[in-house]
Amino acid sequence: MQDRPKKPKNNRLSLGVIAGITIAALAIGGGASWLAYRTLTALKTPSEPTVTQSEPTTAPPDQSLVQEEGAQVYWLADSGGRLKLLPTKVAVQKSASEQERLETAFKELLAGPKKSSETTAIPEGTKLLDLTVEKDGVHLNLSQEFTTGGGSASMMGRLGQIVYTATSVDPNTQVWIDVEGKPLELLGEGEGLMVEQPMTRKIFETDFEL
């Protein structure tokens, strides 16, 4: 009996298999394309900005003003039935000269105290007519009101306020006091206070007692 001839092997896939593979490939390719499209869309679409509430800011203090380098105003305060000179710092511009500092201090001094614990013996209406800082000291020119009213304690108190305020930048400087352009020699009428020119803190402490 003769053997039947063997059919040659077919290396080709059937049409059904090919169609199945093609459909699967298209499905996979389509899913990959959709995923890529969504990714690109997300990258191109800007996200909405996040709104945050900013904390309220407080304006910084004026750094152009400084108290530590400024002049001082001297008020009077009651100390056990006696008066004492009470220094208070004055805020001035950092770049201010000695004369500008003293002018600011005298402006506050002649305007009068703002606290109930402070008082002044300088008569109301007293004006600073001129102030200059020269090589020999501080020169002041006050209005006539400075010499009016009050007893000896008031006279000594106001003189001390003027001398100590004028020497608050340089405690060792001399003070020349004029009233209406004339050197102050006698403060008050009758038995007033003899005022030495120039006046200094040391002379005031030696000649007068508050």
Side-chain angles (χ1 to χ4, degrees):
M1 184 175 180
Q2 295 182 347
D3 294 333
R4 293 181 180 179
K6 295 181 180 180
K7 294 181 179 180
K9 293 182 179 180
N10 191 350
N11 290 329
R12 297 180 180 178
L13 297 175
S14 67
L15 291 176
V17 175
I18 293 173
I21 293 175
T22 302
I23 293 172
L26 289 174
I28 295 173
S33 299
W34 179 84
L35 180 60
Y37 170 77
R38 293 292 297 172
T39 302
L40 290 174
T41 302
L43 292 174
K44 290 180 180 180
T45 304
S47 58
E48 293 185 2
T50 302
V51 179
T52 57
Q53 293 288 343
S54 59
E55 294 293 331
T57 57
T58 303
D62 187 354
Q63 297 300 323
S64 65
L65 295 178
V66 61
Q67 288 185 328
E68 289 74 10
E69 298 179 4
Q72 291 180 315
V73 169
Y74 279 79
W75 304 112
L76 295 173
D78 185 14
S79 178
R82 296 181 58 182
L83 295 176
K84 70 174 182 178
L85 291 165
L86 183 67
T88 302
K89 291 180 179 180
V90 178
V92 296
Q93 296 290 334
K94 288 182 179 180
S95 59
S97 64
E98 180 179 352
Q99 179 166 323
E100 290 171 332
R101 295 176 187 181
L102 292 178
E103 287 173 345
T104 300
F106 270 94
K107 182 179 180 179
E108 291 201 16
L109 177 66
L110 299 182
K114 298 177 181 178
K115 297 180 181 179
S116 58
S117 59
E118 303 166 345
T119 187
T120 182
I122 299 174
E124 186 176 358
T126 300
K127 299 178 182 62
L128 179 65
L129 302 180
D130 191 30
L131 184 156
T132 58
V133 178
E134 301 179 17
K135 291 182 179 180
D136 61 349
V138 178
H139 291 249
L140 302 172
N141 186 18
L142 303 172
S143 64
Q144 187 64 43
E145 288 85 354
F146 179 71
T147 64
T148 61
S152 59
S154 174
M155 298 291 181
M156 286 187 287
R158 76 185 69 171
L159 181 61
Q161 286 182 265
I162 292 295
V163 172
Y164 275 74
T165 299
T167 57
S168 60
V169 175
D170 180 6
N172 297 316
T173 195
Q174 301 179 124
V175 184
W176 304 80
I177 306 173
D178 288 355
V179 174
E180 301 289 346
K182 297 180 181 180
L184 178 63
E185 298 177 351
L186 181 65
L187 181 56
E189 299 178 357
E191 296 181 359
L193 301 180
M194 297 296 298
V195 179
E196 185 174 341
Q197 299 276 10
M199 180 63 68
T200 64
R201 289 190 178 191
K202 185 176 181 180
I203 292 174
F204 180 85
E205 292 170 358
T206 301
D207 293 351
F208 305 104
E209 184 178 358
L210 293 177

